[in-house]
């Protein structure tokens, strides 16, 4: 008979990603007795299933696309993406992460449990046959794909499964139109797959400026991605040759055929399996009800951070910021609140699209007086030296103060330049101050003065 243990802690953390590890190590360093729990390999979404491995695959797509654009401009010869080799390159980063993260906990004196956590009381949990009791619990379990509620949903694979494919199927269909659909369609198309994207809404990438997204869609067309907007998936059926996807658009039905169907229709906090009712934690619309200090409003011993909290944008820097807030509130009393001003966001299409601050629509809704600088920049040196025809920007500057309200970038180096605009927004720098800064030339940043 396996012995059952009852263990007590100052803090139990559910999850082993960025937010979980930051809070766990900070509290352990302060002398607290700390445990972490995860039913998946240790390391969390970003390192194992999200931004880092995705960017490893994107690097192959970027290299291939740059060489293709430069073909005839000094670059010669045939080039292709070797999918098995690219996935192996990705695994060279992800494979060591779980053991490294677990050793990090061992070295810090943090108890680590492998298993699915479930609340059994107000401050009690069960995991792998053990009973844990703790003064505080942090829920940092990340997010998971939302349920679509359609027949044949079980045939969908996640983006995580996509990144582990040993071979790339010839026909790939992505359901959804956000980050996952945009980024993974760009990777797959450049790797030689025939890619279709089905988006229920009227456009892709709704978190980004509609004008820049419209310009980016040229690249989707150029590399052969077949995008259908205002198209709802009604059923997925397995066939002898793959899958048949039934859709409805403007009252008409249509079928698409694919060898692989990828879930790219959004993610939600991974909290359903926790039995939050047992600990008195209230939820609303699939989210934990939190106060301004990231504490449960109904059980203030329970905190949440990152994707599980779902308060700030679903981005890794937000998880890190949430973790710093929670750690300070646990150790110093509940005084800190998260500050999500100037959080930049990037979709790693090729070229990338990036945004920070207010959209044009949001600025108008607030009644702000501002000027808009907006233009395509395919004729600027930064785009021409990369032979990139898809490039542009939109920047919003408040009339009275000169503060930068929002920046929206598309093209080479957008993923880096957006950080300078984020710095300006978070610290109230003006357009004049940005323009007076001497950036190295020729670099992407040296274009900023012309955007303001």
């Amino acid at each position: 008979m396996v012995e059952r243990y009852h263990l007590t802690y100052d803090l139990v953390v559910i999850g082993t990603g960025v937010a979980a590890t930051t809070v766990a190590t900070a509290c352990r360093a302060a002398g607290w007795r700390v445990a972490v729990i995860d039913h998946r390999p240790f390391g969390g979404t970003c390192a194992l299933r999200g931004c880092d491995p995705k960017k490893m695959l994107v690097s192959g797509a970027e290299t291939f696309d740059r060489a293709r654009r430069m073909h005839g401009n000094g670059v010669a010869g045939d080039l292709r993406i070797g999918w098995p080799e690219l996935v192996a390159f990705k695994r060279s980063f992800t494979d060591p992460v779980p053991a490294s993260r677990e050793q990090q906990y061992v070295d810090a004196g943090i108890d680590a449990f492998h298993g699915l956590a479930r609340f059994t009381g107000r401050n009690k949990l069960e995991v792998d046959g053990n009973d844990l009791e703790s003064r505080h619990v942090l829920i940092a379990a990340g997010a998971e794909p939302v349920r679509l509620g359609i027949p044949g949903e079980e045939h969908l694979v996640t983006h995580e499964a996509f990144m582990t494919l040993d071979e790339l199927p010839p026909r790939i269909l992505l359901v959804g139109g956000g980050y996952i659909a945009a980024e993974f369609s760009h990777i797959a198309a450049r790797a030689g797959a025939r890619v279709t994207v089905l988006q229920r809404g009227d456009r892709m990438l709704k978190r980004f400026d509609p004008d820049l997204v419209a310009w980016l869609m040229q690249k989707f067309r150029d590399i052969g991605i077949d995008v259908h907007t205002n198209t709802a998936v009604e059923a997925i059926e397995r066939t002898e040759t793959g899958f048949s996807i039934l859709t409805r658009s403007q009252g008409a039905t249509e079928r698409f055929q694919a060898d692989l169907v990828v879930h790219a229709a959004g993610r939600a906090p991974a909290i359903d399996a926790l039995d939050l009712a047992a600990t008195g934690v209230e939820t609303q619309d699939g989210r934990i009800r939190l106060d301004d200090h990231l504490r449960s409003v109904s059980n203030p011993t329970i905190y949440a951070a990152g994707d599980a909290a779902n308060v700030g944008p679903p981005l890794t820097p937000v998880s890190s910021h949430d973790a710093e807030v929670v750690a300070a509130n646990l150790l110093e009393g509940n005084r800190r609140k998260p500050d999500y001003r100037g959080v930049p966001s990037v979709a790693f299409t090729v070229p990338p699209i990036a945004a920070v601050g207010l959209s044009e629509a949001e600025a108008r809704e607030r009644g702000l007086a501002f000027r808009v600088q907006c233009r395509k920049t395919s004729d600027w040196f930064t785009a021409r030296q990369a032979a990139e025809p898809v490039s542009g920007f939109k920047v919003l500057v408040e009339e009275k103060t000169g503060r930068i309200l929002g920046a929206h970038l598309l093209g080479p180096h957008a993923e880096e330049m957006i950080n300078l605009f984020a710095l300006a927004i978070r610290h109230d720098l003006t357009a004049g101050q940005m323009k007076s800064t001497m950036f190295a030339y020729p670099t992407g940043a040296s274009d900023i003065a012309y955007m303001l």
Side-chain angles (χ1 to χ4, degrees):
M1 182 176 179
V2 177
E3 189 172 357
R4 189 179 186 96
Y5 292 94
H6 182 91
L7 304 167
T8 59
Y9 294 93
D10 297 301
L11 173 67
V12 169
V13 179
I14 302 172
T16 56
V18 171
T21 302
T22 299
V23 177
T25 53
C27 289
R28 178 61 191 143
W32 286 28
R33 190 174 184 199
V34 178
V36 296
I37 304 170
D38 205 332
H39 70 286
R40 307 199 67 180
F42 285 6
T45 298
C46 184
L48 294 177
R49 304 179 288 277
C51 38
D52 288 342
K54 169 198 69 184
K55 195 62 165 65
M56 300 286 281
L57 299 182
V58 168
S59 66
E62 288 173 332
T63 302
F64 173 82
D65 198 69
R66 179 69 183 268
R68 182 190 58 79
R69 297 195 310 270
M70 292 299 295
H71 199 272
N73 295 315
V75 175
D78 295 329
L79 191 69
R80 66 175 182 84
I81 291 177
W83 183 261
E85 294 83 4
L86 182 59
V87 171
F89 176 57
K90 184 269 300 184
R91 286 176 176 150
S92 72
F93 176 85
T94 56
D95 284 0
V97 169
S100 175
R101 184 62 54 88
E102 185 147 15
Q103 188 61 49
Q104 179 181 353
Y105 295 142
V106 170
D107 294 343
I110 296 170
D111 291 347
F113 293 88
H114 293 270
L116 190 63
R118 181 178 63 87
F119 283 100
T120 59
R122 188 167 177 81
N123 292 83
K124 298 178 180 180
L125 303 100
E126 189 274 337
V127 58
D128 194 26
N130 297 302
D131 296 315
L132 279 57
E133 188 169 357
S134 182
R135 289 196 298 125
H136 300 283
V137 176
L138 169 64
I139 300 171
E144 58 192 1
V146 298
R147 295 284 300 171
L148 302 184
I150 58 175
E153 184 172 4
E154 67 275 9
H155 299 309
L156 290 165
V157 304
T158 66
H159 71 284
E160 178 185 359
F162 174 91
M163 291 191 290
T164 64
L165 293 171
D166 292 324
E167 298 289 343
L168 198 65
R171 301 173 302 171
I172 296 175
L173 184 144
L174 297 104
V175 179
Y179 292 86
I180 293 173
E183 294 169 340
F184 284 79
S185 65
H186 273 231
I187 295 168
R190 289 182 173 89
R194 191 162 73 249
V195 181
T196 302
V197 176
L198 304 180
Q199 160 68 327
R200 177 186 290 270
D202 59 359
R203 70 178 180 92
M204 293 190 67
L205 294 169
K206 289 207 167 184
R207 291 179 180 269
F208 294 89
D209 180 83
D211 293 325
L212 271 65
V213 171
W215 299 345
L216 177 61
M217 296 313 295
Q218 174 189 329
K219 185 64 71 170
F220 281 77
R221 293 187 290 271
D222 289 347
I223 63 176
I225 300 171
D226 187 19
V227 177
H228 295 258
T229 57
N230 296 307
T231 301
V233 174
E234 297 202 327
I236 303 169
E237 301 170 4
R238 183 182 290 279
T239 68
E240 292 183 359
T241 58
F243 298 96
S244 177
I245 299 91
L246 177 66
T247 68
R248 182 173 295 277
S249 178
Q250 297 179 337
T253 61
E254 185 176 359
R255 284 192 178 273
F256 295 84
Q257 308 300 317
D259 303 300
L260 183 76
V261 188
V262 182
H263 188 305
R267 293 163 62 79
I271 57 176
D272 287 348
L274 297 178
D275 195 4
L276 293 176
T279 191
V281 170
E282 296 178 0
T283 62
Q284 184 174 7
D285 299 326
R287 299 170 51 182
I288 300 172
R289 292 188 60 223
L290 301 171
D291 66 13
D292 291 339
H293 305 288
L294 299 179
R295 291 183 304 176
S296 162
V297 297
S298 54
N299 182 350
T301 66
I302 309 294
Y303 292 74
D307 289 349
N310 199 22
V311 177
L315 304 167
T316 296
V318 169
S319 295
S320 298
H321 178 70
D322 284 357
E324 293 172 1
V325 170
V326 170
N329 287 337
L330 286 168
L331 296 172
E332 302 166 10
N334 293 290
R335 295 194 296 269
R336 284 197 59 181
K337 300 177 181 179
D339 177 4
Y340 302 122
R341 288 179 304 147
V343 178
S345 179
V346 179
F348 288 97
T349 49
V350 184
I353 186 169
V356 67
L358 298 179
S359 69
E360 187 175 0
E362 289 169 338
R364 297 195 189 286
E365 287 172 3
R366 297 188 184 189
L368 299 173
F370 62 95
R371 57 184 172 86
V372 180
Q373 296 278 95
C374 178
R375 65 167 291 180
K376 291 184 177 181
T377 55
S378 55
D379 59 339
W380 287 16
F381 179 78
T382 301
R384 290 185 62 189
Q385 62 85 29
E388 177 54 77
V390 176
S391 181
F393 72 91
K394 179 182 289 186
V395 177
L396 317 179
V397 179
E398 192 171 35
E399 290 284 10
K400 186 175 181 180
T401 65
R403 290 186 308 120
I404 297 169
L405 300 176
H408 308 271
L409 311 179
L410 169 66
H413 314 301
E415 78 279 22
E416 299 293 347
M417 286 194 294
I418 201 67
N419 292 312
L420 294 173
F421 285 103
L423 179 73
I425 290 173
R426 193 165 182 86
H427 297 283
D428 292 323
L429 301 181
T430 66
Q433 290 170 318
M434 290 284 282
K435 290 179 72 172
S436 69
T437 302
M438 289 183 285
F439 295 109
Y441 179 87
T443 64
S446 62
D447 289 340
I448 287 176
Y450 303 101
M451 297 179 182
L452 298 169

